Amino acid sequence: MADPAVMAGGFSAIVGRSGCGKATSSPAENYQLARRRTLQVVVSSLLTECGFESAEKATVESLTEMIQSYISEVGRCAKAYCEHTARITPTLSDAVVTLNEMGFNVDTLPGYAKRSQRMVITAPPVTNAPVIPKALIAGQKRTHPSHIPSHFPEFPDPHTYIKTPTFREPVSDYQVVRERAASQRRDVERALTRFMAKTGETQSLFKDDVTAFPLIAERPSSIPYLSALLPSELELQTLEETDSSEQDDQTDSENTPVNNLNDDPGADKENSVLLAGGVVPLVKVSEESMIDNPYLRPVKKPKVRRKK
Amino acid sequence: MHEVKMNRKKDKGFESPRPFKLTHQVVCINNINFQRKSVIGFVELTIFPTVVNLNRIKLNSKQCRIYRVRVNDLEAPFIYNDPTLEVCHHESKQRNLNYFSSAYTAAVSAVDPDAGHGELVIKVPSELWKQGDEMNVLKVYIEFSLDQPKGGLHFVVPDVEGSMAERGAHVFSFGYQNSTRFWFPCVDSYSELCTWKLEFTVDASMVAVSCGDLVETVYTHDMRKKTFHYVLPIPTAASNISLSVGPFEILVDPYMHEVTHFCLPQLLPLLKHSMSYLHEIFEFYEEILTCRYPYSCFKTVFVDEAYVQVSSYASMSIFSTNLLHSAMIIDQTPLTRQCLAQALAQQFFGCFISRMSWADEWVLKGISGYIYGLYLKKTFGVNQYRHWIKEELDKMVEYELKMGGVLLHPTFGGGKDKDNPTPHLHFSIKHPHTLSWKYYKMFQCKAHLVMRLIENRISMEFMLQVFNKLLSLASTASSQKYQSHMWSQMLVSTHSFLKSISNVSGKDIGPLIKQWVDQSAVVKFFGSFAFNRKRNVLELEIRQDYTSSGTQKYVGPIKVTVQELDGSFNHTLQIEENSLKHDIPCHSKSRRNKKKKIPLMNGEEVDMDLSAMDADSPLLWIRIDPDMSILRKVEFEQADFMWQYQLRYERDVVAQEESILALEKFPTPASRLALTDILEQDQCFYKVRQGACFCLAKIANSMMSTWTGPPAMKSLFTRMFCCKSCPNIVKTNTFISFQSYFLQKTMPVAMAQLRDIQNLCPKDVLNFILDLIKYNDNRKNKFSDNYYRAELIDALTNSLTPAISISNEVRTVDNLNGDVRLILEEITRSLNMEKLLPSYRNTITVSCLRAIRMLQKNGHIPSDPSLFKSYAEYGHFVDVRVAALEAVVDYTRVDRSSVELQWLLNMVQNDPAHYIRHKILSMLGKNPPFTKAAESPLCNEALVDQLWKLMNSGTSHDWRLRCDAVNLYYTLFGLTRPSCLPLPELGLVLNLKEKKAVLNPTIKPEQGPDTTEMTGITMGVHIPVMGFTSSLDEGLITMETVSSVSMSSGVAPPPQGLKRKLDSVVGPLGSSSPEPGQVLQEEDTSKKFKIRFNTVEEDEIDMESPHDSQAFIHHHLNILERPSTPGKEPPAVDQAVLSLPVTPLPSSFGKESTSSSKHSGDHHHHHHHHEHKKKKKKKHKHKHKHKHESKDKERDSHAFSNSPASGRSVRSPSMSD
């Protein structure tokens, strides 16, 4: 069931790795391949023992798979037994129990091992064990407190469960900061406008080379005054940052969300008057009954008989 | 008669020019269709006849389609005829602006409500005639509709998805001066007041805002619409009625609950902020006028595509939505406040108090402008106020010197010379609708300046008392029930205003009024001085130039302020006829005391470094007319050190600005130092410092070879605005101090004007500006930096210099200069960023477009208008469009491109936004593709025809636009026939000789045969119309036609006095393509007129005999002037009128011509008394000839003296005899 996911994961992992770190992944694969090859040799020799002269590759492959499964199952099962008895290393008895469990008569094993026609297989080629990539060590791992035995697993890295401090020496030189901010902004702007120009329609100032100094084509808007008059989101954000304290004082709860979006109750001198009054938004709801403005009055129902 | 009455000396009170009095009007608009842009409704006017047998009612109405008219429930026949639709008829090939102007004036006069005329003539059913005796009420009910109105109402319907309300569709009324007739039939005069009931049925999602109190809002039966009922109990002129309908967001003013603000959807936050100080303006005006705001409510509506920024109507004002701004915007804030203050000032004077006649307009504009000035002074400070006054004065003086005078109170019909009080202008100032827009602006400017002069004379206290008196009289009158004589108290006239002044102050301001109000032009002084050491006397010489155009002679007191070592002294000198020199004794000895502080005018005592001054003279500086109490231009000569002292130590901003201007001529290190010191002074008014920046740049350029140190202002800017630790990086923006902000904006722009020896912008400066852009950081700022960034782009633009190019080299990317490449990169990046993060009012786009045009003009990049054309299209923000159009206009001139010119003219005719149309024409006028003085391939017959058509008939829906077109025509071709039109052929000349008719060669009339033929045709076309319209005149028409033809055929533009007799114009003025609204009734009578018309045609032919196209024109003008209600005027009236025939031609003509024209005038007079129909005709013919001869003489002398180009028809005056 989980195979496709595994496969997909593995695939992407391989693809991902092939890009960045060949050195770490290759040995692991080699290791796997070498083991598999050994198993194939084993299968082949067994077949020869049994008197086959040749075998189809697919057959060998299937048998290899079976034997691998069998061995894996033995290992898995043995491990389970050992862990069941609160150990971490399987013992012989675990293996025996396992084999028994799987319906194998262990007593026949020594006899089989000493059979005369058995073939001697050369040791598998020595390959480097896969290098386990070094985990990112961030911060000091905590040591076990005294009541925990040392064989218990170590604590994970603190960053995985406490916090992740990043360490970068802050640049304190004002000039550099400004310089960097300016160039960064310029780069972003340039990249963004170039991207927009490349992906959309453009206008050009030069006839000979339309790609030089491309201008994003203007687009007439149906309601041009909106974008020209309303402050942009960015500006609003700036405003919020610069005087968030004043922002808090404002009770905008009565406003519609749209209004809230664009409302920029700055704290400049004009507005401070407004703030002092503080009734602007309230007027509409809570004081409506007190304000007698004809535009706020409800619309009347038509009279039954209206003069024409 | 009416004109005579306007003459305020004889004015006793207001007399209506109409035979009835309007007391109440109902306007009901049942349906407003945004999809079709149409309006349906009716009006009902309640009128009281003031004469017995009232049989005609004349109303104003333009472009309305009228379905029916009923008077007291009886169907009434009516005629609808608008002569201004097409000013000159018969496609005559006359392309002469003089001719057009007089015809246009005549057309406007013909329907002038101030003279009792109108486009709509309703015949009162005969059943009701008798009722006139009992002075019974007549109710005139008119059903009308408007379909896609081109003027009067403007529909804004954005092309997006959704319902009309979701789309933000709205409609509002607009117009220049009295333009209400464009959207409903009314008496469109500022002097006809009545009470109002206004009803508007609109979609349930919309709000209808109009004048008066909203009484109730009622749903219609289907609940899909609602009706807004307004009542305006204060008598108000129809011209002050307005309407706007749209899905407005409503904001009740938190301080004044009777004030309501309206804006388009989504703009409510901006509205809240922008309106947050309106109550202060209210308080200010109410306090100084000691008078409550006259209406019970006030509404402000902010609309898109507004015609003007501010327009005031009774109890409401319509503003451009572009005035709204958020709290982040600095630059727009004062501008918006000023607009609000103007609007509110006009509520008191202009809406509540209306005017008696056009000649009294200056009083209203003057008072509202003046109290607005007081608001400026209070809110923005005395410096700002004085700066503004100086600015306005300079602007006005410049205009008057260039264009000739601006006349505030024109009087007409008084006498010969008065008939055309402004012969220097190419338009008539008799009507607001014939004025050039620029002239009108200057008129307003002058009006408030004159009010200030009156204030100087009688003190502000008295001035405000006068205003209060006017207002309290008006408010007493307004509360009266219908009593027509009381309501007229709400009208201000020059006479009543001056009378109040004299009553209140007891002072005679006659000379002042005579000089500045009754007379046009300004004073031009030249001053110089010498110090006589022996006598310790300052010998001041003040000369005047009163001969050039736009100048007048000044006689009277003038104030001179002399700053000496011992203090500042005011002297009042008397400017007299012949005395130029004035001796002013000095108070201080030249031997100066060491270390003594010098007292200034304001009492302050300062230390000065006196080493620069002349050791023998105690004079530090001298100022002539420091208080600007004369409308003048002063050119004063004093030594450079005196200007420098004046700049440094005089505390008046006007003096500082004057000295800055003067210092441009003294590029010395001392001037440099003085300017730099001013720049650094925090206390100094920021506009002075801004001025100093530009002056410093100019001086630096003049001192290029001797300049030491870094480029001007660079170190100053660094010190003021850059970081202490790294001087090349500007501080992050805070803009807390607005003074510094403005200086920070200006300095780079001024610096970019610096040039090095190769006449390039110094590399240092350019890099400096590029760094400013690069390091600009607004993240921590609560204000937007859009204006600042825009000005930095402007600075880049200023730094551009012409490219060095090999001739005909094509501009390519590769040969782009390195610096220009950097500039271009900044510009493209900024322009592109605007697409993603648009700035307020797209200021940066505007600057970028200007920069690109400048790059093109200087030959750095290929000149190409296509970019600008795309930005100029409808759908961009208006500022962007204007900037782009400006570039296209410039391109048109530089590249002489007829394609672009056509494109522009096309836009003038088709663009939905009226402001843009107006702007294009005025920009073309300011930066014309060619002028009358120069030859150009663009100047061709087709263009002449096109422009002619534009002003003749293409702009009839918008007075302002028509006048703009006239202005442009004048700029391009001048007053006379455009030179690009084909010359008259030789055959014609011979033909003319036979007839002994001499033509002004510049007029280039049509060939004789041609004209005849054409006239025949056009007259033929017009017969039906003619016949129809003259139907009302019954049998009298023939006589009238003939007499009027003869009367003025020889006189160039029709005599003023006659015009008032003009009625709703008949005959040829009914255009050949009738308006939709023209409804022809009374069909039964139409047959008769053809017969009668023949007599007219005879005259026509008779006219042709001299083969004088001028006569032809006059004939038409006369038809136009033919009264349609003959016999109504008592003979005495005619006499009075006729005694004033006038030639508008300048008096510089020969004696002979003057006398002959007088002669002809006498003839008229004499002739007109003949009431016999038959005899008359013969005599007329006779007289015609006679008159044409005299006319020809005139013209000939004109040609001879005025036209150096008379080589075209070599002819001496003697030949004509």
Side-chain angles (χ1 to χ4, degrees), chain B residues 93-96 98 973 975-985 988-989 992 997-1007 1107-1110 1149 1191-1213 1215-1216:
Chain B
K93 293 283 177 184
Q94 266 296 351
R95 292 293 183 253
N96 173 330
N98 273 326
F973 308 116
L975 280 176
T976 52
R977 191 174 160 89
S979 57
C980 59
L981 295 187
L983 296 170
E985 279 149 45
L988 169 65
V989 178
L992 288 169
V998 180
L999 297 173
N1000 182 342
T1002 51
I1003 290 177
K1004 293 183 203 128
E1006 295 303 321
Q1007 289 192 24
H1107 293 279
D1108 185 339
S1109 65
Q1110 193 72 14
F1149 297 149
K1191 179 73 196 174
D1192 290 339
K1193 266 184 229 160
E1194 258 179 51
R1195 237 190 270 117
D1196 191 58
S1197 59
H1198 186 190
F1200 195 65
S1201 58
N1202 283 9
S1203 154
S1206 51
R1208 279 172 189 154
S1209 69
V1210 188
R1211 195 176 289 123
S1212 71
M1215 279 175 79
S1216 68

Coordinates of all heavy atoms in Angstrom, one line a residue, chain B residues 93-96 98 973 975-985 988-989 992 997-1007 1107-1110 1149 1191-1213 1215-1216:
Chain B
K93 N -17.4 81.0 -47.0 CA -16.0 80.7 -46.8 C -15.2 81.8 -46.0 O -14.0 81.9 -46.0 CB -15.3 80.5 -48.2 CG -15.8 79.3 -48.9 CD -15.2 78.0 -48.3 CE -15.8 76.8 -49.1 NZ -15.4 75.5 -48.5
Q94 N -16.0 82.6 -45.3 CA -15.4 83.5 -44.4 C -14.7 82.8 -43.3 O -15.3 81.9 -42.7 CB -16.5 84.4 -43.8 CG -16.8 85.6 -44.5 CD -15.6 86.6 -44.4 OE1 -14.6 86.3 -43.8 NE2 -15.6 87.6 -45.2
R95 N -13.4 83.1 -43.2 CA -12.7 82.4 -42.1 C -12.1 83.5 -41.2 O -11.0 83.3 -40.8 CB -11.7 81.5 -42.7 CG -12.2 80.3 -43.4 CD -13.0 79.4 -42.4 NE -13.5 78.2 -43.0 CZ -14.8 78.0 -43.3 NH1 -15.7 78.9 -43.0 NH2 -15.2 76.8 -43.9
N96 N -12.8 84.5 -41.0 CA -12.3 85.7 -40.3 C -12.8 85.7 -38.9 O -14.0 85.6 -38.6 CB -12.8 86.8 -41.2 CG -12.4 88.2 -40.5 OD1 -12.3 88.3 -39.3 ND2 -12.3 89.1 -41.4
N98 N -12.7 88.0 -36.6 CA -13.5 89.2 -36.3 C -15.0 88.9 -36.6 O -15.9 89.2 -35.8 CB -13.1 90.4 -37.1 CG -11.9 91.1 -36.4 OD1 -11.8 91.1 -35.2 ND2 -11.0 91.6 -37.2
F973 N -4.1 81.6 -36.4 CA -4.3 82.3 -37.7 C -4.5 83.8 -37.5 O -4.6 84.6 -38.4 CB -5.6 81.8 -38.4 CG -5.6 80.3 -38.6 CD1 -6.5 79.5 -37.9 CD2 -4.6 79.7 -39.4 CE1 -6.5 78.1 -38.1 CE2 -4.6 78.3 -39.5 CZ -5.5 77.5 -38.9
L975 N -6.6 87.3 -36.3 CA -7.9 87.8 -36.4 C -8.5 87.8 -37.8 O -9.7 87.7 -38.1 CB -8.0 89.3 -36.0 CG -8.0 89.5 -34.5 CD1 -8.0 91.0 -34.2 CD2 -9.3 88.9 -33.9
T976 N -7.6 87.9 -38.8 CA -8.1 88.0 -40.2 C -8.1 86.7 -40.8 O -7.8 85.6 -40.2 CB -7.2 89.0 -40.9 OG1 -5.8 88.6 -40.8 CG2 -7.4 90.4 -40.4
R977 N -8.4 86.7 -42.1 CA -8.5 85.4 -42.8 C -7.2 84.8 -42.9 O -6.1 85.4 -43.2 CB -9.0 85.8 -44.2 CG -9.4 84.6 -45.1 CD -9.9 85.2 -46.4 NE -9.9 84.2 -47.4 CZ -10.9 83.3 -47.6 NH1 -12.0 83.4 -46.9 NH2 -10.8 82.5 -48.6
P978 N -7.1 83.5 -42.5 CA -5.8 82.8 -42.5 C -5.1 82.9 -43.8 O -5.7 82.8 -44.9 CB -6.2 81.3 -42.2 CG -7.5 81.4 -41.5 CD -8.2 82.6 -42.1
S979 N -3.8 83.0 -43.7 CA -3.0 83.3 -44.9 C -2.9 82.0 -45.8 O -2.6 82.1 -46.9 CB -1.6 83.7 -44.5 OG -1.0 82.7 -43.7
C980 N -3.2 80.9 -45.2 CA -3.0 79.7 -46.1 C -4.2 79.5 -47.0 O -4.2 78.6 -47.9 CB -2.9 78.5 -45.2 SG -4.3 78.2 -44.1
L981 N -5.2 80.2 -46.8 CA -6.4 80.1 -47.7 C -6.1 80.7 -49.0 O -5.3 81.6 -49.1 CB -7.6 80.7 -47.1 CG -8.1 80.1 -45.8 CD1 -9.4 80.8 -45.4 CD2 -8.3 78.6 -45.9
P982 N -6.7 80.1 -50.1 CA -6.3 80.6 -51.4 C -6.7 82.1 -51.6 O -7.7 82.6 -51.0 CB -7.2 79.7 -52.3 CG -8.2 79.1 -51.4 CD -7.6 79.0 -50.1
L983 N -5.9 82.7 -52.4 CA -6.1 84.1 -52.6 C -7.3 84.3 -53.6 O -7.6 83.4 -54.3 CB -4.8 84.7 -53.3 CG -3.6 84.7 -52.4 CD1 -2.4 85.1 -53.3 CD2 -3.7 85.7 -51.2
P984 N -7.9 85.4 -53.5 CA -8.9 85.7 -54.5 C -8.3 85.7 -55.9 O -7.2 86.1 -56.1 CB -9.4 87.1 -54.1 CG -8.6 87.6 -53.0 CD -7.6 86.6 -52.6
E985 N -9.1 85.2 -56.8 CA -8.6 85.1 -58.1 C -8.6 86.4 -58.8 O -9.3 87.3 -58.5 CB -9.4 84.0 -58.9 CG -8.9 82.6 -58.6 CD -10.0 81.6 -58.7 OE1 -10.7 81.7 -59.6 OE2 -10.1 80.8 -57.7
L988 N -11.8 88.1 -60.1 CA -12.5 88.8 -59.0 C -12.1 90.2 -58.8 O -12.9 91.1 -58.7 CB -12.3 88.0 -57.7 CG -12.9 88.7 -56.4 CD1 -14.4 88.8 -56.5 CD2 -12.4 87.9 -55.2
V989 N -10.8 90.3 -58.9 CA -10.3 91.7 -58.6 C -10.8 92.6 -59.7 O -11.3 93.7 -59.4 CB -8.7 91.7 -58.7 CG1 -8.2 93.1 -58.5 CG2 -8.2 90.7 -57.6
L992 N -14.3 93.4 -59.1 CA -14.5 94.3 -58.0 C -14.2 95.7 -58.4 O -14.8 96.7 -58.0 CB -13.5 93.9 -56.8 CG -13.9 92.6 -56.1 CD1 -12.8 92.2 -55.2 CD2 -15.2 92.9 -55.3
A997 N -15.5 98.4 -55.6 CA -15.5 98.0 -54.2 C -14.1 97.6 -53.9 O -13.4 96.8 -54.6 CB -16.4 96.8 -54.1
V998 N -13.6 98.1 -52.9 CA -12.2 97.8 -52.5 C -12.2 96.9 -51.3 O -12.9 97.2 -50.3 CB -11.4 99.1 -52.2 CG1 -10.0 98.7 -51.8 CG2 -11.4 99.9 -53.4
L999 N -11.4 95.9 -51.3 CA -11.5 95.0 -50.2 C -10.2 95.1 -49.4 O -9.1 95.4 -49.9 CB -11.5 93.5 -50.8 CG -12.8 93.3 -51.6 CD1 -12.7 91.9 -52.2 CD2 -14.0 93.4 -50.6
N1000 N -10.4 94.8 -48.2 CA -9.3 94.6 -47.4 C -8.6 93.3 -47.8 O -9.2 92.2 -47.8 CB -9.8 94.4 -45.9 CG -8.6 94.3 -45.0 OD1 -7.5 94.0 -45.4 ND2 -8.9 94.5 -43.7
P1001 N -7.3 93.4 -48.2 CA -6.7 92.2 -48.8 C -6.6 91.1 -47.8 O -6.6 89.9 -48.1 CB -5.3 92.7 -49.2 CG -5.1 94.0 -48.5 CD -6.5 94.6 -48.3
T1002 N -6.6 91.4 -46.5 CA -6.5 90.3 -45.5 C -7.8 89.6 -45.3 O -7.8 88.6 -44.8 CB -6.0 90.9 -44.2 OG1 -6.8 92.0 -43.9 CG2 -4.6 91.4 -44.3
I1003 N -8.8 90.2 -45.8 CA -10.1 89.6 -45.6 C -10.4 88.6 -46.7 O -11.0 87.5 -46.4 CB -11.3 90.6 -45.5 CG1 -11.1 91.3 -44.1 CG2 -12.6 89.9 -45.5 CD1 -12.1 92.4 -43.9
K1004 N -9.9 88.9 -47.8 CA -10.0 87.9 -49.0 C -11.4 87.4 -49.1 O -11.7 86.2 -48.7 CB -9.1 86.8 -48.8 CG -7.6 87.2 -48.9 CD -6.8 86.0 -48.7 CE -5.4 86.4 -48.3 NZ -4.9 85.7 -47.2
P1005 N -12.3 88.2 -49.5 CA -13.7 87.7 -49.7 C -13.9 86.7 -50.8 O -12.9 86.5 -51.6 CB -14.4 89.0 -49.9 CG -13.5 89.9 -50.6 CD -12.1 89.5 -50.1
E1006 N -15.0 86.2 -50.9 CA -15.4 85.3 -52.0 C -15.5 86.0 -53.3 O -15.7 87.2 -53.3 CB -16.7 84.7 -51.6 CG -16.6 83.8 -50.4 CD -15.6 82.8 -50.5 OE1 -15.4 82.2 -51.6 OE2 -14.9 82.5 -49.5
Q1007 N -15.4 85.3 -54.3 CA -15.7 85.8 -55.6 C -17.2 86.2 -55.6 O -18.0 85.6 -55.0 CB -15.5 84.8 -56.7 CG -14.1 84.4 -56.9 CD -13.9 83.6 -58.1 OE1 -14.8 83.7 -59.0 NE2 -12.9 82.9 -58.2
H1107 N -20.6 93.2 -54.3 CA -19.8 92.0 -54.2 C -18.8 92.2 -53.0 O -17.6 92.0 -53.1 CB -19.0 91.9 -55.5 CG -19.9 91.5 -56.6 ND1 -20.3 90.2 -56.8 CD2 -20.5 92.3 -57.5 CE1 -21.2 90.2 -57.8 NE2 -21.3 91.5 -58.3
D1108 N -19.4 92.5 -52.0 CA -18.6 92.7 -50.8 C -19.1 91.6 -49.8 O -20.2 91.6 -49.4 CB -19.0 94.1 -50.3 CG -18.1 94.4 -49.1 OD1 -17.5 93.4 -48.5 OD2 -17.9 95.5 -48.8
S1109 N -18.2 90.8 -49.5 CA -18.5 89.7 -48.6 C -18.9 90.2 -47.3 O -19.6 89.7 -46.5 CB -17.4 88.7 -48.5 OG -16.3 89.4 -47.9
Q1110 N -18.3 91.3 -46.9 CA -18.5 91.9 -45.6 C -20.0 92.3 -45.5 O -20.7 92.0 -44.5 CB -17.7 93.2 -45.5 CG -17.6 93.7 -44.1 CD -16.8 92.8 -43.2 OE1 -16.1 92.0 -43.7 NE2 -16.9 93.0 -41.9
F1149 N -8.6 104.9 -37.6 CA -8.9 105.1 -39.0 C -8.9 106.6 -39.3 O -9.0 107.4 -38.4 CB -10.3 104.6 -39.4 CG -10.3 103.1 -39.2 CD1 -11.5 102.5 -38.8 CD2 -9.2 102.3 -39.3 CE1 -11.5 101.2 -38.6 CE2 -9.2 101.0 -39.1 CZ -10.4 100.4 -38.8
K1191 N -18.2 102.4 -46.1 CA -17.5 101.2 -45.4 C -16.3 100.8 -46.1 O -15.2 100.6 -45.5 CB -18.6 100.1 -45.5 CG -18.1 98.8 -44.9 CD -18.1 99.0 -43.4 CE -17.2 97.9 -42.8 NZ -17.1 98.1 -41.4
D1192 N -16.3 100.8 -47.4 CA -15.2 100.4 -48.2 C -14.0 101.4 -47.9 O -12.9 101.0 -47.8 CB -15.5 100.4 -49.7 CG -16.4 99.3 -50.0 OD1 -16.5 98.3 -49.2 OD2 -17.1 99.4 -51.0
K1193 N -14.4 102.6 -47.8 CA -13.3 103.5 -47.6 C -12.6 103.2 -46.3 O -11.4 103.2 -46.2 CB -13.9 104.9 -47.5 CG -13.9 105.7 -48.8 CD -14.4 107.1 -48.5 CE -15.4 107.4 -49.6 NZ -16.3 108.5 -49.2
E1194 N -13.4 103.0 -45.3 CA -12.9 102.6 -44.0 C -12.0 101.4 -44.2 O -10.9 101.4 -43.7 CB -14.0 102.1 -43.2 CG -14.5 103.1 -42.2 CD -15.6 102.5 -41.4 OE1 -15.5 101.4 -40.9 OE2 -16.7 103.2 -41.4
R1195 N -12.5 100.5 -44.8 CA -11.7 99.3 -44.8 C -10.4 99.4 -45.6 O -9.4 98.9 -45.3 CB -12.5 98.2 -45.5 CG -12.6 97.0 -44.5 CD -13.2 95.9 -45.2 NE -14.7 95.9 -45.0 CZ -15.5 96.0 -46.0 NH1 -15.0 96.1 -47.3 NH2 -16.8 96.0 -45.8
D1196 N -10.5 100.3 -46.6 CA -9.3 100.5 -47.3 C -8.3 101.1 -46.5 O -7.1 100.7 -46.5 CB -9.7 101.4 -48.5 CG -8.5 101.4 -49.5 OD1 -8.2 100.3 -49.9 OD2 -8.0 102.4 -49.7
S1197 N -8.7 102.1 -45.8 CA -7.7 102.8 -45.0 C -7.1 101.8 -44.0 O -5.9 101.8 -43.6 CB -8.3 104.0 -44.3 OG -9.3 103.6 -43.5
H1198 N -8.0 101.0 -43.5 CA -7.6 99.9 -42.6 C -6.5 99.1 -43.3 O -5.4 98.8 -42.7 CB -8.8 99.1 -42.3 CG -8.5 98.1 -41.2 ND1 -9.4 97.1 -40.9 CD2 -7.4 97.9 -40.4 CE1 -8.9 96.3 -40.0 NE2 -7.7 96.8 -39.7
A1199 N -6.8 98.6 -44.4 CA -5.9 97.8 -45.1 C -4.6 98.5 -45.3 O -3.5 97.9 -45.2 CB -6.5 97.4 -46.5
F1200 N -4.7 99.7 -45.6 CA -3.5 100.4 -45.9 C -2.6 100.6 -44.7 O -1.4 100.3 -44.8 CB -3.9 101.8 -46.5 CG -2.8 102.5 -47.2 CD1 -2.2 102.0 -48.3 CD2 -2.2 103.7 -46.6 CE1 -1.2 102.6 -48.9 CE2 -1.2 104.3 -47.2 CZ -0.6 103.8 -48.4
S1201 N -3.2 100.9 -43.7 CA -2.4 101.2 -42.5 C -2.0 99.9 -41.8 O -0.9 99.8 -41.2 CB -3.2 102.1 -41.5 OG -4.4 101.5 -41.2
N1202 N -2.9 99.0 -41.8 CA -2.7 97.9 -40.9 C -2.0 96.7 -41.5 O -1.6 95.8 -40.8 CB -4.0 97.4 -40.3 CG -4.5 98.3 -39.2 OD1 -3.9 99.4 -39.0 ND2 -5.5 97.9 -38.5
S1203 N -2.1 96.6 -42.8 CA -1.6 95.4 -43.4 C -0.4 95.6 -44.2 O -0.5 96.2 -45.3 CB -2.8 94.8 -44.3 OG -2.2 94.0 -45.2
P1204 N 0.7 95.3 -43.7 CA 1.9 95.4 -44.5 C 1.9 94.4 -45.7 O 2.6 94.6 -46.7 CB 3.0 95.1 -43.5 CG 2.4 94.4 -42.4 CD 0.9 94.6 -42.4
A1205 N 1.0 93.5 -45.6 CA 0.9 92.5 -46.6 C 0.0 92.9 -47.8 O -0.5 92.1 -48.6 CB 0.4 91.2 -46.1
S1206 N -0.2 94.2 -47.8 CA -1.2 94.7 -48.8 C -0.7 94.5 -50.2 O -1.4 94.9 -51.2 CB -1.6 96.1 -48.5 OG -0.4 96.9 -48.4
G1207 N 0.5 94.1 -50.3 CA 1.0 93.8 -51.7 C 0.1 92.9 -52.5 O 0.2 92.8 -53.7
R1208 N -0.6 92.2 -51.8 CA -1.5 91.2 -52.5 C -2.5 91.9 -53.4 O -2.9 91.4 -54.4 CB -2.2 90.3 -51.4 CG -1.3 89.3 -51.0 CD -2.0 88.5 -49.8 NE -1.0 87.6 -49.2 CZ -1.1 87.2 -48.0 NH1 -2.0 87.7 -47.2 NH2 -0.2 86.4 -47.5
S1209 N -3.0 93.0 -52.9 CA -3.8 93.7 -53.8 C -3.3 95.2 -53.8 O -3.6 95.9 -52.9 CB -5.3 93.7 -53.4 OG -5.5 94.4 -52.2
V1210 N -2.5 95.5 -54.7 CA -1.9 96.8 -54.7 C -2.9 97.8 -55.0 O -3.4 97.9 -56.1 CB -0.7 96.8 -55.6 CG1 0.1 98.1 -55.5 CG2 0.2 95.6 -55.5
R1211 N -3.2 98.6 -54.1 CA -4.3 99.6 -54.3 C -4.1 100.7 -53.3 O -3.9 100.5 -52.2 CB -5.6 98.9 -54.1 CG -6.8 99.6 -54.6 CD -8.0 98.9 -54.5 NE -8.0 97.7 -55.4 CZ -8.2 96.5 -55.0 NH1 -8.3 96.2 -53.7 NH2 -8.2 95.5 -55.9
S1212 N -4.2 101.9 -53.8 CA -4.1 103.0 -52.9 C -5.5 103.5 -52.6 O -6.5 103.2 -53.3 CB -3.3 104.1 -53.6 OG -4.1 104.7 -54.6
P1213 N -5.6 104.2 -51.5 CA -6.9 104.7 -51.1 C -7.6 105.5 -52.2 O -8.8 105.4 -52.3 CB -6.6 105.5 -49.9 CG -5.2 105.2 -49.4 CD -4.5 104.7 -50.6
M1215 N -7.7 105.0 -55.2 CA -8.3 104.2 -56.2 C -9.8 103.8 -55.8 O -10.6 103.6 -56.7 CB -7.5 102.9 -56.4 CG -6.3 103.1 -57.3 SD -5.4 101.6 -57.3 CE -6.4 100.7 -58.5
S1216 N -10.0 103.8 -54.6 CA -11.3 103.4 -54.2 C -12.3 104.5 -54.5 O -13.5 104.2 -54.7 CB -11.4 103.0 -52.8 OG -11.2 104.2 -52.0

